[in-house]
């Protein structure tokens, strides 16, 4: 039996917590009318927010919609337990509709032709960006898991834009170092991989010609379910993201803005970029 998606964004967690508070208040027969009204109103605001963004954003292509549905149908826990995947994956890793559409907007707005993605998973964000590339555009996707890479390629092959995408199945740092030696460069980079290596990937990009002078870097999950600032114990990923955000804020070579899209998306460019 497949597990339904769990809340993985700060707002999603807030909405789920508020719903539990409403249920608890009903169980306790809490009679304060003002409290109940405020709780209901706040809960409805939170629970409806992300769904409203979804319905108010231009729909994804049919291939992307089908890719997302196929990702949700897979039992990623069983696949990992059986050894089909080399690393633990979960359906919530998918970038999704609103973030995918934002990435398309950014690719078109920057005029990007060469894209690097670090962390492919099932390929939603890669295909979304490839749809926004011109016909002579190219995207290199780094993925460590062979099962996920094959899954993604099966969907790329169903899209007229899939031929723009090349998949490198290897540790991303190894792939980046090799491409640097080969003189590759990219004007748009999307990072959504192992959180503990985020700073390493960014330093490799900013400290070399891998990132063009005016290149844009987008980094996913930089709110990490609220862990960097919430008053609760952090997971290793929460610690890694908190350290990465501090690293970015203190780096004089770059400027950045953290957007509250899904689980946080940080946009980064060189401070000297025009």
């Amino acid at each position: 039996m497949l597990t339904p998606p769990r809340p993985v964004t700060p707002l999603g967690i807030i909405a789920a917590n508020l719903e539990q508070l409403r249920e608890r208040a009903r169980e306790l027969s809490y009679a304060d009318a003002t409290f109940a009204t405020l709780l209901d109103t706040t809960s409805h605001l939170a629970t409806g927010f992300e769904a409203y963004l979804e319905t108010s954003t231009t729909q994804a292509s049919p291939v992307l919609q089908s890719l997302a549905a196929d990702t949700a149908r897979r039992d990623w826990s069983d696949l990992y337990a059986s050894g089909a995947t080399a690393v633990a994956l979960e359906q919530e890793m998918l970038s999704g509709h609103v973030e995918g559409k934002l990435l398309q907007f950014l690719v078109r707005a920057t005029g990007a032709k060469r894209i690097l993605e670090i962390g492919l998973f099932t390929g939603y964000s890669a295909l979304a960006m490839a749809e926004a590339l011109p016909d002579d555009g190219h995207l290199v996707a780094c993925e460590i898991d062979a099962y996920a890479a094959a899954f993604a390629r099966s969907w790329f092959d169903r899209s007229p834009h899939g031929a723009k995408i090349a998949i490198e199945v290897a540790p991303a740092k190894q792939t980046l170092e090799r491409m640097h030696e080969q003189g590759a460069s990219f004007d748009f980079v999307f990072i959504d991989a192992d959180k503990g290596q985020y700073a390493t990937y960014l330093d490799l990009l900013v400290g070399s010609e891998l990132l063009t002078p005016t290149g844009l870097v987008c980094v996913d999950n930089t709110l990490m379910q609220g862990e960097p600032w919430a008053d609760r114990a952090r997971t290793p990923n929460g610690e890694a993201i908190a350290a990465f955000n501090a690293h970015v804020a203190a780096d004089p070579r770059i400027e950045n803005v953290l957007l509250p899209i899904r689980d946080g998306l940080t946009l980064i460019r060189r401070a000297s970029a025009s």
Side-chain angles (χ1 to χ4, degrees):
M1 186 176 189
L2 296 182
T3 304
R6 61 186 175 86
V8 292
T9 68
L11 186 57
I13 294 168
I14 290 169
N17 288 349
L18 284 169
E19 187 57 34
Q20 289 185 44
L21 287 173
R22 291 179 69 211
E23 292 292 333
R24 185 62 175 153
R26 283 193 287 268
E27 290 172 3
L28 295 173
S29 300
Y30 198 77
D32 187 317
T34 300
F35 173 87
T37 298
L38 285 172
L39 184 56
D40 285 348
T41 300
T42 306
S43 179
H44 290 150
L45 279 171
T47 56
F49 188 90
E50 290 186 335
Y52 187 72
L53 292 183
E54 292 273 343
T55 58
S56 299
T57 298
T58 301
Q59 288 301 298
S61 68
V63 174
L64 283 174
Q65 292 182 46
S66 296
L67 188 164
D70 195 11
T71 301
R73 281 193 296 266
R74 304 291 170 118
D75 192 324
W76 295 98
S77 295
D78 277 359
L79 288 167
Y80 181 57
S82 69
T85 65
V87 295
L89 303 170
E90 53 188 26
Q91 62 173 302
E92 294 86 2
M93 291 178 173
L94 190 98
S95 298
H97 172 211
V98 175
E99 187 171 348
K101 186 58 66 174
L102 175 59
L103 290 171
Q104 287 184 339
F105 262 75
L106 291 171
V107 169
R108 291 192 176 102
T110 58
K113 295 183 69 173
R114 294 163 296 175
I115 298 176
L116 172 66
E117 178 173 75
I118 303 174
L120 173 68
F121 187 37
T122 58
Y124 189 99
S125 54
L127 186 55
M129 291 186 288
E131 289 181 352
L133 279 171
D135 291 341
D136 60 344
H138 186 65
L139 186 151
V140 175
C142 303
E143 175 55 51
I144 197 170
D145 189 85
Y147 182 97
F151 180 104
R153 175 50 67 190
S154 73
W155 280 101
F156 298 162
D157 291 344
R158 304 177 211 192
S159 166
H161 303 280
K164 302 172 187 175
I165 304 170
I167 303 174
E168 296 283 348
V169 182
K173 183 173 181 289
Q174 176 182 313
T175 301
L176 264 62
E177 290 172 342
R178 176 174 55 78
M179 290 192 299
H180 176 239
E181 292 174 359
Q182 295 171 344
S185 63
F186 301 91
D187 35 41
F188 194 98
V189 180
F190 180 50
I191 303 176
D192 184 13
D194 46 332
K195 313 312 173 192
Q197 293 296 309
Y198 270 17
T200 298
Y201 299 146
L202 184 63
D203 286 343
L204 277 170
L205 292 164
V206 175
S208 73
E209 292 76 33
L210 275 171
L211 183 69
T212 59
T214 57
L216 179 66
V217 180
C218 302
V219 186
D220 202 14
N221 301 118
T222 47
L223 291 179
M224 189 44 67
Q225 302 175 28
E227 289 187 26
W229 74 90
D231 186 20
R232 57 191 172 95
R234 290 174 180 164
T235 63
N237 278 344
E239 289 285 359
I241 289 299
F244 173 75
N245 289 341
H247 175 79
V248 170
D251 191 335
R253 300 173 300 171
I254 58 179
E255 61 180 3
N256 76 288
V257 59
L258 201 169
L259 304 177
I261 298 293
R262 202 166 179 264
D263 197 27
L265 184 70
T266 296
L267 308 185
I268 301 169
R269 71 171 196 164
R270 288 190 176 90
S272 59
S274 58

